[in-house]
Amino acid sequence: MSRFRILSYNVHSCIGTDKQHSPERVAHVIASCKPDIVALQEIDVGRPRTGSIDQARTLASLLGMEAHFHASTHVGPERYGDAILTALPISMVRTGPLPGFHDRIKVEPRGALWASIDVGGAALQVVNTHLGVWPHEQMLQLSTLLGPDWLGHPDCRDPVVFVGDFNAPPGLSPYRRLAAQFTDVQKEWGDRKAKPTFPGRMPTLRIDHVWLRGRAKVENVEVVRTPLSRVASDHLPLVVDIDIRANDARDHGSKKRVSTM
């Protein structure tokens, strides 16, 4: 197999636009898309506001997948961050925080996860993140992510999928910086006009992105706008089918240790 489906979804702590907390509803939205790899943002673990459950493990269990979670925020036993879910063979390469303005003003700390996932014998590199809301902060965070510890690392070989909630619509400097090095799959998929993902009920902003680097073919792109997805979170899921050439990938099946910053 050289074809896979990846889904990026800011799940808003599984709290929908109707203010109801329902991991089951979010899992149903995800399952209906039949993804191989799921990149999630805004995941709660052990937080009283969402029943003190581990949302990453709960969603993974409902989907029949394995969860890898990184907490960008720690408050006592409470954690909040991002996750990668998949049933494919996976080894975590790196997790860590990103620089930002949280030590100066009241904004959320941010982080990222990097996983190597075996897709039909090819090592696919997946980096999932949730950037800050200020363009200057986003540029600082992108400098780290594009640098030698992350996407610029020698082990981060193509094909690479860089995915998440970037809080950066087309036209702004963070988006342009990424577009200079990666393919925006929504723009690559020319059969349909690129569609917004936020806010869920009446989307107007395209801030959730899947970026592709390396030799691969974008086969389908969809922003999932169904009655359920419009209420399950304040973002809509972005689903992408990609076909990579497995015989061009290097270091098939190599295992890497998790590195934390």
Side-chain angles (χ1 to χ4, degrees):
M1 156 179 107
S2 61
R3 185 177 185 270
F4 67 93
R5 174 170 290 182
I6 187 165
L7 178 147
S8 179
Y9 196 8
N10 182 325
V11 298
H12 195 236
S13 301
C14 297
I15 299 173
T17 55
D18 59 358
K19 311 301 182 184
Q20 299 300 309
H21 171 238
S22 178
E24 293 79 11
R25 187 166 58 183
V26 168
H28 186 79
V29 171
I30 296 171
S32 69
C33 301
K34 300 180 180 178
D36 302 296
I37 302 165
V38 179
L40 301 176
Q41 304 86 41
E42 294 195 11
I43 289 286
D44 279 5
V45 172
R47 304 193 78 177
R49 70 176 184 180
T50 48
S52 299
I53 66 170
D54 184 329
Q55 289 187 337
R57 289 187 179 182
T58 297
L59 290 170
S61 177
L62 290 168
L63 294 165
M65 294 180 170
E66 177 183 346
H68 293 271
F69 170 77
H70 172 255
S72 56
T73 300
H74 296 260
V75 181
E78 299 182 40
R79 294 182 291 162
Y80 172 79
D82 313 305
I84 295 175
L85 280 55
T86 187
L88 296 173
I90 180 173
S91 51
M92 295 304 300
V93 183
R94 190 174 188 85
T95 65
L98 297 176
F101 298 163
H102 57 274
D103 57 344
R104 286 171 273 173
I105 59 176
K106 192 175 181 180
V107 294
E108 293 178 11
R110 306 291 177 166
L113 307 87
W114 167 14
S116 181
I117 300 175
D118 187 313
V119 178
L124 172 73
Q125 308 306 313
V126 177
V127 177
N128 177 29
T129 193
H130 185 190
L131 300 187
V133 297
W134 303 101
H136 284 79
E137 185 181 36
Q138 293 166 5
M139 292 294 278
L140 181 65
Q141 291 160 351
L142 286 177
S143 292
T144 294
L145 286 166
L146 296 173
D149 292 330
W150 292 88
L151 292 152
H153 194 281
D155 288 341
C156 198
R157 301 184 180 96
D158 296 347
V160 174
V161 175
F162 186 24
V163 61
D165 178 356
F166 292 83
N167 277 312
L172 296 186
S173 53
Y175 176 92
R176 294 198 306 269
R177 183 171 185 183
L178 286 168
Q181 299 186 37
F182 294 83
T183 297
D184 176 351
V185 298
Q186 279 224 63
K187 293 190 72 174
E188 177 74 9
W189 180 243
D191 287 4
R192 300 179 184 178
K193 182 179 178 181
K195 295 182 179 179
T197 56
F198 178 83
R201 284 195 180 273
M202 295 291 291
T204 57
L205 296 174
R206 193 160 76 86
I207 58 176
D208 302 279
H209 301 293
V210 173
W211 298 94
L212 175 64
R213 190 182 76 191
R215 188 176 178 184
K217 179 183 179 183
V218 178
E219 295 197 328
N220 189 54
V221 178
E222 182 180 0
V223 174
V224 182
R225 191 174 181 183
T226 64
L228 187 59
S229 70
R230 290 176 64 188
V231 71
S233 172
D234 64 345
H235 286 242
L236 297 175
L238 176 60
V239 182
V240 183
D241 291 318
I242 298 173
D243 189 7
I244 59 175
R245 292 170 170 80
N247 59 347
D248 288 341
R250 291 169 290 181
D251 295 342
H252 295 182
S254 61
K255 299 294 182 181
K256 304 179 180 73
R257 296 179 179 177
V258 176
S259 173
T260 56
M261 298 167 65

